[in-house]
Amino acid sequence: MESKLEFRSAIGILEAVHGYTELQQLIEAAKAISFDFFDTLFIRPLANPEDAFDILGRQFAIADFRERRRAAQVEAFRRMHAVGRKEITLADIYACFAETVVPSSELMRAEYALELALVEPNPEMFALFCTLLDTGKPVVITSDMYLSADFFIDALRPHGLAHVPLFISADCNATKRDAGELFDVVVSQLGLTAGDILHIGDNQQADVTRPCEKGLMAFHYRASREHAVKKTASLTTSIGHGLLRTSARYIPSGSYAELGFIYGGAANFGFLQWVRERTRLDHVDHVLFLSRDGYALERIAQAQVDSGFPAFCYFLGSRTAYTLAAIKADNFSQFMPFLLSGSEGLAPCELLERIGVQPPSPSIMADLGLGAGVCVSVSLHEKLASFLYAYRWEILKVCQRNRRALYCYLRQLGIGAGSRVALVDVGWSGTTQEAFELAVRPLMDLEVLGYYFCLADTPERLRREQTQRMSAMVTAASTSAATIARIYANRVAVELFFSAPHHSVIGLQAGAKGIEPVLDAGRGNIGNFLQIAQEVSHGVESFAVHYGELQQRLGVLASPLQIAWPLIELVTEERGPNHQLLEQVKNFDAWGSSRNHELSLADYLQ
């Protein structure tokens, strides 16, 4: 009775995921069940199995390992046909492998070990497999593979299943895929008629067409989560999609969390690894992950047992907050371009709201000719500048509050004169770093270093490089000028994958529990942006956990840039990041948001 309940439970999982109402009937009708192994019973955390060759290539520093391995397999098949055999073995492949500085025998052992480390039970099929074994009905594994039965025994042993009968093409010199002769072996060895055997597998030809031709029953297993991943996609992209089928299958398909997992997770994990390396080289005392771009970075670092960082924190602030802290009565006029920047299309009162200053009453603004019905344009800048200057004493109160809070905030973190501080930001031209240094310089003497995901080739960045210490993981030197241009053109999309589930920080103030942020929700409709950011962040953090575990397990050798590449692929593809979910994000930039208009992320994508 118990085994029947377990069987129904296992079938229920498949029905819930796939709607497979026929499977239970097929299993009940069969006297023996055969399971395909790869991509059915066991899966790899890779979208493309051949991407394992890239892991080996990095492990042994053989840049063209994938091409060499492919060529060796083609030659092994040629030799196989020449002598009239039906299948090749791993030894046959490496007998054809072009000589490198690493002995072929060592490469063969490494591939065997890697494949063994990669495979893990498929959550969608493994419970059914184990349940069927408990029923006493004959259950076997039938696989086309150049690896011998020893490999399958090694893979099954940790699960207590080393005793399961195996029919492996490399040992039987017969395949499923070609003429289906491996099924003849299965039928003969089981001593049953072909029609009493059910084969379950994912490949249409090898697991459905061929067994049916041999008279077996067949069931075509289709994974609940299938994504078309380009063959040219990066290894990290492949791993991201693969992890979504294995350890991270709880991430909802087609969700912002999935988007964050594949693209944001890789970008944050790679960037954090780069930042860690830089802090060691530069002997940094404190790492400040700037809000909002440093939210997930700081959380990932916190979650790591040994982050390898000096003192670090999620540092509240922004270009707006730091610039305001630098404004005083004697330099107010110098900051007029900042106060007017990006104001086209806004209502006049919104210029004050976006810096945390309470504007005059609507009636006073209307009397000044700056009422709610007025839309800011360049032609209005002179009048607005006069108004802001006349209202400067109210603005300066907020500036002074920010300046005092910033000083207390730094002291509260143990940062003082002589400290070597790294500001971690997504990019692009060092604007926030410039504002921070300008605000802090009169308060205390710090050594400030800017660490960026990407620095763009802009005049502003080139100017700031003369006085600011800035370095980035992604530059024209590490990629290309064209790639940097595409990234910068789609920078708003990149920022989404680093953003935090809270509103923009536009100021600092003293609170009951220390320094608190002053937040700006923007003035337009942001829709469900905070929920979107929360989901993206959840995906980012989940990727970091699972990729980190896989990295430990496999010893995957990848540079920070290689890890982060999926996001760069997304925003530099020919048609741009035209993902439907991205296009639904509204009023992402609080500084330029207005009640007068609505901006979606689609307006920024190129």
Side-chain angles (χ1 to χ4, degrees), residues 173-492:
N173 192 32
T175 68
K176 294 184 296 179
R177 64 180 180 270
D178 296 323
E181 293 167 318
L182 188 56
F183 293 111
D184 293 331
V185 179
V186 174
V187 172
S188 175
Q189 290 292 319
L190 290 179
L192 298 170
T193 59
D196 288 331
I197 302 171
L198 168 66
H199 178 71
I200 302 171
D202 70 296
N203 186 278
Q204 176 64 47
Q205 176 170 302
D207 296 315
V208 180
T209 302
R210 293 295 182 252
C212 288
E213 289 173 350
K214 292 295 183 177
L216 282 73
M217 294 182 285
F219 180 78
H220 192 189
Y221 162 68
R222 296 177 179 86
S224 63
R225 193 182 217 122
E226 287 288 357
H227 290 287
V229 180
K230 295 178 182 177
K231 294 284 187 180
T232 56
S234 69
L235 176 59
T236 311
T237 297
S238 176
I239 290 174
H241 283 281
L243 287 171
L244 288 170
R245 281 193 63 197
T246 55
S247 53
R249 60 193 296 268
Y250 57 85
I251 297 286
S253 182
S255 65
Y256 284 103
E258 182 183 69
L259 208 59
F261 188 95
I262 296 170
Y263 302 109
N268 278 269
F269 195 95
F271 184 37
L272 187 68
Q273 185 168 295
W274 180 86
V275 171
R276 184 185 296 111
E277 294 171 1
R278 291 297 312 185
T279 59
R280 291 171 184 164
L281 291 172
D282 295 333
H283 306 291
V284 169
D285 300 315
H286 296 267
V287 178
L288 306 181
F289 293 104
L290 298 182
S291 63
R292 292 184 291 179
D293 297 344
Y295 178 81
L297 292 167
E298 192 270 345
R299 287 175 66 87
I300 295 170
Q302 286 281 8
Q304 295 173 347
V305 177
D306 180 14
S307 68
F309 281 102
F312 66 90
C313 72
Y314 180 55
F315 193 71
L316 299 168
S318 63
R319 175 184 70 113
T320 302
Y322 306 143
T323 302
L324 290 173
I327 299 176
K328 299 179 181 178
D330 58 357
N331 64 11
F332 186 87
S333 296
Q334 298 173 28
F335 287 91
M336 195 62 71
F338 161 75
L339 296 172
L340 293 172
S341 65
S343 60
E344 284 70 30
L346 274 63
C349 65
E350 293 177 331
L351 272 69
L352 294 172
E353 292 173 352
R354 67 182 185 172
I355 59 173
V357 175
Q358 179 67 40
S361 67
S363 60
I364 292 177
M365 293 295 288
D367 290 343
L368 293 172
L370 299 173
V374 175
C375 197
V376 175
S377 63
V378 175
S379 62
L380 199 62
H381 276 195
E382 186 175 346
K383 184 174 184 178
L384 285 167
S386 297
F387 162 69
L388 292 172
Y389 189 80
Y391 205 64
R392 67 188 182 280
W393 300 114
E394 292 301 315
I395 297 172
L396 286 170
K397 290 177 185 177
V398 170
C399 294
Q400 184 181 58
R401 183 203 68 204
N402 278 339
R403 188 160 50 251
R404 288 175 175 171
L406 178 59
Y407 176 79
C408 293
Y409 194 12
L410 292 170
R411 296 302 300 155
Q412 178 181 304
L413 294 171
I415 297 173
S419 293
R420 198 173 179 83
V421 175
L423 302 183
V424 181
D425 198 5
V426 67
W428 303 94
S429 301
T431 309
T432 303
Q433 181 182 344
E434 181 180 58
F436 177 83
E437 292 192 45
L438 194 62
V440 170
R441 193 173 297 123
L443 306 178
M444 61 180 70
D445 184 23
L446 300 180
E447 276 194 78
V448 180
L449 300 89
Y451 292 159
Y452 299 90
F453 179 78
C454 178
L455 282 174
D457 291 330
T458 63
E460 293 83 3
R461 194 268 297 174
L462 294 173
R463 173 181 62 79
R464 293 188 182 108
E465 273 189 345
Q466 306 305 309
T467 56
Q468 295 174 198
R469 296 185 61 181
M470 302 188 295
S471 53
M473 181 178 72
V474 187
T475 64
S478 60
T479 53
S480 69
T483 297
I484 297 301
R486 288 292 296 162
I487 294 172
Y488 185 61
N490 290 297
R491 59 192 176 276
V492 178

Side-chain angles (χ1 to χ4, degrees), residues 66-187:
R66 188 181 186 122
E67 291 71 24
R68 288 171 178 262
R69 174 60 176 73
R70 278 178 171 174
Q73 187 161 324
V74 169
E75 176 60 18
F77 272 116
R78 189 194 68 77
R79 295 182 187 182
M80 177 197 78
H81 290 302
V83 298
R85 295 185 69 251
K86 303 292 178 64
E87 183 62 293
I88 59 174
T89 66
L90 189 63
D92 293 334
I93 295 171
Y94 277 95
C96 303
F97 196 87
E99 186 177 343
T100 67
V101 293
V102 183
S104 293
S105 58
E106 184 177 347
L107 294 172
M108 183 172 70
R109 287 192 298 271
E111 180 172 338
Y112 184 99
L114 176 61
E115 286 286 5
L116 202 56
L118 281 170
V119 293
E120 52 190 282
N122 180 0
E124 294 181 1
M125 295 299 291
F126 197 66
L128 175 63
F129 177 75
C130 294
T131 301
L132 289 171
L133 282 171
D134 291 341
T135 66
K137 186 177 290 190
V139 178
V140 304
I141 290 172
T142 307
S143 178
D144 277 349
M145 192 58 179
Y146 42 75
L147 292 164
S148 69
D150 290 341
F151 171 85
F152 295 86
I153 293 170
D154 287 342
L156 293 165
R157 184 177 290 112
H159 308 283
L161 300 172
H163 62 283
V164 175
L166 302 169
F167 296 91
I168 311 302
S169 62
D171 295 316
C172 298
N173 192 32
T175 68
K176 294 184 296 179
R177 64 180 180 270
D178 296 323
E181 293 167 318
L182 188 56
F183 293 111
D184 293 331
V185 179
V186 174
V187 172

